[in-house]
Amino acid sequence: MAEEKRIERVQHVWVRLIRAHDNVVRKVEAAVKAKGLPPIEWYDVLLELSREGGRKLRPVELEKELLVAQYNLSRLLDRMEAAGLVERLTCPGDGRGQMIQATPEGRAMQKRIWPSYREALEEHVAPDLSEKDLEQLAKLLGAIGGHLRPGGCGN
Amino acid sequence: MAEEKRIERVQHVWVRLIRAHDNVVRKVEAAVKAKGLPPIEWYDVLLELSREGGRKLRPVELEKELLVAQYNLSRLLDRMEAAGLVERLTCPGDGRGQMIQATPEGRAMQKRIWPSYREALEEHVAPDLSEKDLEQLAKLLGAIGGHLRPGGCGN
DNA sequence: TTAATGTCAATGCAGTTGCATGAAACTGAG
DNA sequence: CTCAGTTTCATGCAACTGCATTGACATTAA
């Protein structure tokens, strides 16, 4: 019965987590796409590569930062490379690996995406929640997911 | 500056919402799949069909309940029908539509899935949160997503 | 009734994901 | 050094998704 009560609450969280995620992600993606900008994951890659004033990263590292499966990242980088936003450099000291680096176009694209992205977040992520609630929600969600670096524009 | 503070918090929520969702969904799906059971969306369909002691639903209605795109639902039902879990009946009074109904196998499958599903939820959704926190989290998430019916086993 | 419009569901196609595997390169024990 | 085991990244294939469209029927207005 204490058990019953618990599972019920867990279910509430489960259902609403999925619903909230769908709701928010769909809206933000739609807003960004509506401006003719690339998908959010592209931004995430570019953001990671722009940290600390621009850096090279191994795909393996990106994988961990971004929570993307290896084969998906491989193909995501294919697409971004084809679009001229990132380069694959040979990796000194490890012949298997590579270093991924944003091209100038990639950096420009990141800067170009950010305003729209930011606007979409403000508009669609919890527009009705108070500052206090936002903070509380972030804290509770943080207890569920692993840790993640802050988002933003990288500046 | 008040604006700055706000967007920062919004971003925290955004990032953690995605991270939490990924984390939880991936684990629950993996756990259920590991037992050779069908994907979660199949359960969701069967659950909806089992409410109120078993009912027929139009795809359009399922669509709204389940937050699935029309074309995806159409094909999801293809698969479930092929697996013998649901039937498409002709819809009296509307020649375009159809009524979806769980077969006996479908109802059996739903009952068979539930224990594993429940166990996975208990284990992977917020295992470290107190009852109070769960309730709070559900409330805050509820403010973000639209409303949704409770999950569970339908009994 | 008819014509225009709207709703329900299916489908072709291209793009994406998951899974399993493979090839190349690194590592470390002997 | 050599070989077994591991890590890094790519890829063939099947399944799934999103988008656009179609076809069938329903509804409304005239």
Side-chain angles (χ1 to χ4, degrees):
Chain A
M1 25 256 82
E3 272 308 306
E4 286 308 315
K5 205 67 187 155
R6 165 110 196 157
I7 182 66
E8 223 172 89
R9 291 193 170 120
V10 165
Q11 276 177 47
H12 269 75
V13 168
W14 164 254
V15 168
R16 291 177 187 203
L17 176 62
I18 291 178
R19 172 62 64 120
H21 177 269
D22 264 44
N23 190 38
V24 169
V25 170
R26 213 156 18 80
K27 283 180 184 166
V28 170
E29 276 179 343
V32 172
K33 170 184 277 197
K35 302 214 176 184
L37 297 170
I40 289 166
E41 19 168 53
W42 288 35
Y43 181 80
D44 294 337
V45 170
L46 293 172
L47 174 61
E48 284 308 320
L49 294 175
S50 78
R51 287 187 196 280
E52 297 152 25
R55 51 182 184 160
K56 301 167 189 169
L57 280 177
R58 306 273 309 250
V60 188
E61 305 176 277
L62 272 172
E63 220 177 296
K64 284 168 201 146
E65 303 277 0
L66 297 180
L67 211 48
V68 181
Q70 181 270 320
Y71 46 83
N72 281 337
L73 179 58
S74 174
R75 292 190 269 223
L76 172 55
L77 292 174
D78 286 348
R79 283 170 247 149
M80 292 183 70
E81 188 180 33
L85 301 182
V86 301
E87 281 175 312
R88 292 192 224 236
L89 310 175
T90 64
C91 180
D94 191 339
R96 298 165 298 182
Q98 45 190 238
M99 303 297 292
I100 307 298
Q101 183 180 235
T103 62
E105 292 78 22
R107 287 188 284 279
M109 175 60 82
Q110 189 214 334
K111 288 190 177 58
R112 198 172 135 234
I113 297 175
W114 173 238
S116 303
Y117 191 18
R118 175 187 164 132
E119 190 188 356
L121 292 184
E122 278 179 323
E123 187 170 353
H124 300 297
V125 181
D128 301 329
L129 254 47
S130 70
E131 301 267 326
K132 243 182 137 45
D133 283 346
L134 282 176
E135 214 165 317
Q136 177 71 3
L137 179 53
K139 187 174 143 243
L140 290 169
L141 286 173
I144 289 189
H147 192 54
L148 189 58
R149 300 243 234 155
C153 62
N155 299 326
Chain B
M1 26 249 92
E3 273 309 304
E4 287 308 314
K5 205 66 185 154
R6 166 109 195 160
I7 182 66
E8 224 172 86
R9 290 193 171 121
V10 165
Q11 275 177 49
H12 269 73
V13 168
W14 165 254
V15 168
R16 290 178 188 203
L17 176 62
I18 290 177
R19 173 60 66 120
H21 177 269
D22 264 45
N23 190 38
V24 168
V25 170
R26 214 157 18 79
K27 283 180 184 166
V28 170
E29 277 180 342
V32 171
K33 171 183 274 197
K35 303 212 174 184
L37 297 171
I40 289 167
E41 19 167 52
W42 289 35
Y43 181 79
D44 295 335
V45 170
L46 293 173
L47 174 60
E48 284 308 321
L49 294 175
S50 79
R51 288 188 196 279
E52 297 152 27
R55 51 180 183 161
K56 301 167 188 169
L57 281 177
R58 307 274 310 250
V60 187
E61 304 177 277
L62 272 172
E63 222 178 296
K64 284 169 201 146
E65 303 277 359
L66 297 179
L67 212 47
V68 181
Q70 181 271 319
Y71 46 83
N72 280 338
L73 179 58
S74 173
R75 291 190 268 225
L76 172 55
L77 292 174
D78 285 348
R79 283 169 246 149
M80 293 183 69
E81 189 180 32
L85 301 182
V86 301
E87 280 174 313
R88 293 192 222 235
L89 310 176
T90 63
C91 180
D94 191 339
R96 296 165 299 183
Q98 45 190 237
M99 303 296 293
I100 307 296
Q101 183 180 237
T103 61
E105 293 77 22
R107 286 187 284 279
M109 177 59 85
Q110 190 214 334
K111 289 190 177 58
R112 197 171 135 235
I113 297 174
W114 172 239
S116 302
Y117 190 18
R118 176 187 164 131
E119 191 188 355
L121 292 185
E122 277 178 324
E123 188 170 351
H124 300 298
V125 180
D128 301 330
L129 253 47
S130 70
E131 301 267 325
K132 243 183 137 43
D133 284 346
L134 282 177
E135 214 164 318
Q136 177 71 4
L137 180 52
K139 187 175 143 242
L140 290 169
L141 286 173
I144 289 189
H147 192 53
L148 189 59
R149 301 243 234 156
C153 61
N155 299 325

